[in-house]
Protein backbone atom coordinates (compact mmCIF):
# COMPACT_ATOMS: atom_id res chain seq x y z
CA UNK A 1 0.00 0.00 0.00
CA UNK A 2 1.25 3.45 -0.92
CA UNK A 3 1.95 5.49 2.22
CA UNK A 4 1.60 9.27 2.01
CA UNK A 5 2.56 11.81 4.68
CA UNK A 6 0.25 14.83 4.52
CA UNK A 7 2.31 17.44 6.32
CA UNK A 8 0.87 19.54 9.11
CA UNK A 9 4.38 20.47 10.26
CA UNK A 10 4.29 23.82 8.44
CA UNK A 11 0.72 24.88 9.22
CA UNK A 12 -0.76 23.41 6.06
CA UNK A 13 -4.41 22.79 5.24
CA UNK A 14 -5.32 19.53 6.96
CA UNK A 15 -6.68 16.69 4.86
CA UNK A 16 -8.97 15.66 7.72
CA UNK A 17 -11.00 18.83 7.19
CA UNK A 18 -14.19 17.08 6.04
CA UNK A 19 -15.67 20.12 4.32
CA UNK A 20 -12.70 20.56 1.99
CA UNK A 21 -11.05 17.20 1.51
CA UNK A 22 -13.43 14.33 2.35
CA UNK A 23 -13.66 13.29 -1.31
CA UNK A 24 -9.89 13.20 -1.72
CA UNK A 25 -9.62 11.05 1.40
CA UNK A 26 -12.27 8.65 0.09
CA UNK A 27 -10.84 8.39 -3.41
CA UNK A 28 -7.32 7.81 -2.06
CA UNK A 29 -8.55 5.03 0.23
CA UNK A 30 -10.42 3.39 -2.65
CA UNK A 31 -7.19 3.50 -4.69
CA UNK A 32 -5.19 1.78 -1.95
CA UNK A 33 -3.39 4.94 -0.80
CA UNK A 34 -2.91 5.34 2.95
CA UNK A 35 -2.61 8.98 4.09
CA UNK A 36 -1.50 10.16 7.54
CA UNK A 37 -1.29 13.71 8.81
CA UNK A 38 2.30 14.09 10.04
CA UNK A 39 3.50 16.89 12.27
CA UNK A 40 7.23 16.06 12.54
CA UNK A 41 9.57 16.48 9.58
CA UNK A 42 11.79 13.59 10.75
CA UNK A 43 8.89 11.15 10.30
CA UNK A 44 8.61 11.89 6.58
CA UNK A 45 11.32 9.30 5.91
CA UNK A 46 8.82 6.56 6.82
CA UNK A 47 6.58 7.39 3.84
CA UNK A 48 6.66 6.95 0.06
CA UNK A 49 5.37 10.47 -0.63
CA UNK A 50 5.14 13.73 1.30
CA UNK A 51 2.60 16.49 0.59
CA UNK A 52 2.84 20.15 1.61
CA UNK A 53 -0.55 21.70 0.81
CA UNK A 54 -0.36 25.47 1.41
CA UNK A 55 2.49 25.55 3.94
CA UNK A 56 2.47 28.81 5.90
CA UNK A 57 5.76 28.38 7.79
CA UNK A 58 9.00 28.77 5.76
CA UNK A 59 11.39 25.84 5.51
CA UNK A 60 14.75 26.10 7.23
CA UNK A 61 17.94 25.21 5.37
CA UNK A 62 18.18 22.04 7.46
CA UNK A 63 14.63 21.00 6.61
CA UNK A 64 15.11 21.69 2.90
CA UNK A 65 18.32 19.66 2.89
CA UNK A 66 16.57 16.77 4.65
CA UNK A 67 13.72 16.81 2.12
CA UNK A 68 16.20 16.96 -0.76
CA UNK A 69 17.85 13.82 0.61
CA UNK A 70 14.47 12.08 0.68
CA UNK A 71 13.98 12.88 -3.02
CA UNK A 72 17.47 11.56 -3.75
CA UNK A 73 16.41 8.32 -2.04
CA UNK A 74 13.48 7.93 -4.42
CA UNK A 75 10.67 9.63 -2.48
CA UNK A 76 8.01 11.81 -4.09
CA UNK A 77 7.45 15.27 -2.58
CA UNK A 78 4.71 17.70 -3.59
CA UNK A 79 4.25 21.34 -2.65
CA UNK A 80 1.20 23.37 -3.69
CA UNK A 81 0.63 27.10 -3.36
CA UNK A 82 -1.98 29.69 -4.33
CA UNK A 83 -2.35 32.88 -6.34
CA UNK A 84 -1.42 36.49 -5.43
CA UNK A 85 1.23 35.44 -2.88
CA UNK A 86 -1.53 35.50 -0.26
CA UNK A 87 -0.09 34.87 3.22
CA UNK A 88 3.30 35.09 1.44
CA UNK A 89 2.59 31.56 0.21
CA UNK A 90 4.82 31.85 -2.87
CA UNK A 91 7.74 33.10 -0.76
CA UNK A 92 7.22 30.24 1.69
CA UNK A 93 7.06 27.60 -1.03
CA UNK A 94 10.24 29.02 -2.57
CA UNK A 95 12.19 28.30 0.62
CA UNK A 96 11.90 24.65 -0.44
CA UNK A 97 11.16 24.58 -4.16
CA UNK A 98 14.10 26.71 -5.28
CA UNK A 99 16.44 23.96 -4.06
CA UNK A 100 14.97 21.89 -6.90
CA UNK A 101 15.05 24.64 -9.53
CA UNK A 102 11.40 25.71 -9.33
CA UNK A 103 10.30 29.26 -8.45
CA UNK A 104 6.76 30.37 -7.52
CA UNK A 105 6.03 33.79 -9.03
CA UNK A 106 3.23 34.82 -6.68
CA UNK A 107 1.10 36.15 -9.53
CA UNK A 108 -2.47 35.81 -10.81
CA UNK A 109 -3.55 33.82 -13.86
CA UNK A 110 -6.78 34.51 -15.72
CA UNK A 111 -8.34 32.90 -18.77
CA UNK A 112 -11.35 34.61 -20.28
CA UNK A 113 -11.99 31.79 -22.75
CA UNK A 114 -10.97 28.47 -21.20
CA UNK A 115 -12.49 28.56 -17.73
CA UNK A 116 -15.14 26.89 -15.60
CA UNK A 117 -18.54 28.43 -14.86
CA UNK A 118 -17.64 31.64 -16.71
CA UNK A 119 -15.11 32.51 -13.99
CA UNK A 120 -11.75 33.60 -15.42
CA UNK A 121 -9.86 32.57 -12.27
CA UNK A 122 -11.02 28.94 -12.63
CA UNK A 123 -8.49 27.97 -15.29
CA UNK A 124 -9.34 25.02 -17.55
CA UNK A 125 -6.56 23.50 -19.64
CA UNK A 126 -5.79 20.41 -21.69
CA UNK A 127 -2.16 21.46 -22.22
CA UNK A 128 -0.63 18.60 -20.20
CA UNK A 129 2.79 16.94 -20.34
CA UNK A 130 4.38 13.83 -18.85
CA UNK A 131 1.04 12.64 -17.47
CA UNK A 132 -0.98 9.45 -18.13
CA UNK A 133 -3.45 9.36 -21.01
CA UNK A 134 -6.42 9.42 -18.61
CA UNK A 135 -5.54 13.01 -17.67
CA UNK A 136 -6.75 15.09 -20.62
CA UNK A 137 -8.19 18.23 -19.01
CA UNK A 138 -8.10 19.78 -15.53
CA UNK A 139 -9.47 22.80 -13.71
CA UNK A 140 -6.99 24.79 -11.63
CA UNK A 141 -8.59 27.47 -9.47
CA UNK A 142 -6.75 30.60 -8.34
CA UNK A 143 -3.34 29.48 -9.56
CA UNK A 144 0.14 30.92 -9.50
CA UNK A 145 2.74 30.41 -12.24
CA UNK A 146 6.11 28.73 -11.93
CA UNK A 147 9.55 29.33 -13.41
CA UNK A 148 11.77 26.29 -14.02
CA UNK A 149 15.51 26.79 -13.67
CA UNK A 150 17.13 23.36 -14.00
CA UNK A 151 17.23 20.91 -16.92
CA UNK A 152 15.93 18.16 -14.63
CA UNK A 153 12.64 20.05 -14.23
CA UNK A 154 9.88 19.25 -16.71
CA UNK A 155 6.39 20.73 -17.15
CA UNK A 156 3.25 18.86 -16.17
CA UNK A 157 0.54 21.44 -16.88
CA UNK A 158 0.61 24.63 -18.90
CA UNK A 159 -2.21 27.12 -19.39
CA UNK A 160 -3.90 27.30 -22.77
CA UNK A 161 -2.78 30.02 -25.18
CA UNK A 162 -5.68 32.11 -23.85
CA UNK A 163 -4.34 32.07 -20.27
CA UNK A 164 -2.65 35.25 -19.07
CA UNK A 165 -0.29 35.90 -16.18
CA UNK A 166 -0.72 39.32 -14.59
CA UNK A 167 3.09 39.47 -14.41
CA UNK A 168 3.30 38.42 -18.08
CA UNK A 169 5.07 35.19 -17.10
CA UNK A 170 4.85 31.97 -19.07
CA UNK A 171 1.85 30.04 -17.75
CA UNK A 172 3.63 26.97 -16.40
CA UNK A 173 1.20 25.88 -13.67
CA UNK A 174 2.59 22.50 -12.49
CA UNK A 175 6.10 21.13 -12.91
CA UNK A 176 8.34 18.45 -11.43
CA UNK A 177 12.01 17.89 -10.77
CA UNK A 178 13.04 14.32 -11.58
CA UNK A 179 16.05 12.97 -9.69
CA UNK A 180 18.31 10.26 -11.18
CA UNK A 181 17.12 8.01 -8.33
CA UNK A 182 13.57 8.23 -9.65
CA UNK A 183 12.53 10.53 -6.82
CA UNK A 184 10.38 13.51 -7.74
CA UNK A 185 9.68 17.00 -6.43
CA UNK A 186 6.35 18.30 -7.74
CA UNK A 187 5.28 21.94 -7.51
CA UNK A 188 1.83 23.32 -8.31
CA UNK A 189 0.54 26.87 -8.49
CA UNK A 190 -2.70 26.00 -6.68
CA UNK A 191 -3.59 23.86 -3.67
CA UNK A 192 -7.34 23.63 -4.33
CA UNK A 193 -7.40 21.46 -7.45
CA UNK A 194 -8.21 18.45 -5.25
CA UNK A 195 -10.66 19.94 -2.80
CA UNK A 196 -14.33 18.89 -2.72
CA UNK A 197 -15.33 21.65 -5.16
CA UNK A 198 -12.78 20.78 -7.85
CA UNK A 199 -11.91 17.10 -7.62
CA UNK A 200 -14.90 15.79 -9.61
CA UNK A 201 -14.42 18.26 -12.47
CA UNK A 202 -12.79 17.08 -15.73
CA UNK A 203 -9.84 14.79 -14.84
CA UNK A 204 -8.96 16.40 -11.52
CA UNK A 205 -9.60 13.16 -9.65
CA UNK A 206 -7.23 11.19 -11.88
CA UNK A 207 -4.66 13.97 -11.66
CA UNK A 208 -4.90 14.06 -7.86
CA UNK A 209 -4.39 10.31 -7.49
CA UNK A 210 -1.51 10.40 -9.96
CA UNK A 211 0.30 13.05 -7.91
CA UNK A 212 0.01 10.89 -4.80
CA UNK A 213 1.50 7.88 -6.58
CA UNK A 214 4.10 9.27 -9.01
Amino acid sequence: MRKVAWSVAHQEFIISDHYYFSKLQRYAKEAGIHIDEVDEVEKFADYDAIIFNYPEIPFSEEEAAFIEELVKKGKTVGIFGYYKNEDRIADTCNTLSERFGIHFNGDIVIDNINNYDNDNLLIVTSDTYNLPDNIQKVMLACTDTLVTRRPEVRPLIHGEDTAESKLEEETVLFAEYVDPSGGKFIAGGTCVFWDNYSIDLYNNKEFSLNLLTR
Side-chain angles (χ1 to χ4, degrees):
M1 178 177 282
R2 180 80 165 179
K3 292 179 60 181
V4 176
W6 187 283
S7 175
V8 293
H10 281 253
Q11 205 170 312
E12 295 89 350
F13 291 147
I14 58 174
I15 192 173
S16 59
D17 187 317
H18 184 84
Y19 184 80
Y20 288 106
F21 295 113
S22 59
K23 290 182 179 180
L24 175 60
Q25 284 186 294
R26 183 170 79 248
Y27 295 152
K29 184 177 181 180
E30 291 170 352
I33 303 167
H34 177 83
I35 303 177
D36 289 327
E37 291 179 349
V38 179
D39 61 1
E40 296 180 32
V41 172
E42 296 77 17
K43 293 182 179 178
F44 294 154
D46 298 331
Y47 292 84
D48 304 304
I50 303 96
I51 300 297
F52 301 100
N53 205 54
Y54 201 93
E56 295 192 59
I57 299 173
F59 294 82
S60 67
E61 283 292 320
E62 293 77 14
E63 288 174 327
F66 176 72
I67 293 164
E68 183 178 25
E69 284 303 309
L70 294 181
V71 173
K72 289 180 178 178
K73 292 176 180 176
K75 308 284 188 182
T76 297
V77 175
I79 189 167
F80 308 106
Y82 206 51
Y83 75 155
K84 295 198 298 186
N85 203 16
E86 288 197 351
D87 299 325
R88 302 191 69 83
I89 184 63
D91 298 334
T92 298
C93 289
N94 285 334
T95 61
L96 178 59
S97 65
E98 287 186 343
R99 184 174 284 262
F100 297 91
I102 302 174
H103 176 80
F104 286 74
N105 287 317
D107 62 350
I108 300 170
V109 181
I110 63 169
D111 194 321
N112 293 318
I113 305 298
N114 292 287
N115 62 58
Y116 177 71
D117 200 27
N118 201 31
D119 185 332
N120 67 6
L121 288 171
L122 306 184
I123 307 301
V124 174
T125 180
S126 57
D127 197 359
T128 64
Y129 304 84
N130 304 300
L131 292 172
D133 290 341
N134 66 341
I135 303 171
Q136 297 290 326
K137 182 181 287 188
V138 294
M139 192 279 278
L140 305 176
C142 302
T143 187
D144 189 4
T145 61
L146 309 172
V147 174
T148 63
R149 294 174 171 167
R150 292 177 63 173
E152 300 91 344
V153 178
R154 61 188 190 178
L156 296 179
I157 299 180
H158 196 284
E160 299 283 359
D161 291 343
T162 50
E164 305 171 45
S165 159
K166 291 293 188 178
L167 295 180
E168 299 184 349
E169 297 282 354
E170 182 183 357
T171 56
V172 177
L173 307 180
F174 275 68
E176 71 178 351
Y177 164 86
V178 182
D179 191 78
S181 69
K184 298 179 178 69
F185 180 86
I186 305 163
T190 178
C191 62
V192 293
F193 62 95
W194 50 12
D195 66 359
N196 286 353
Y197 180 79
S198 301
I199 197 166
D200 288 328
L201 298 175
Y202 305 103
N203 298 127
N204 281 39
K205 174 184 174 181
E206 292 82 2
F207 181 51
S208 300
L209 296 176
N210 178 260
L211 293 180
L212 295 174
T213 56
R214 287 183 77 78

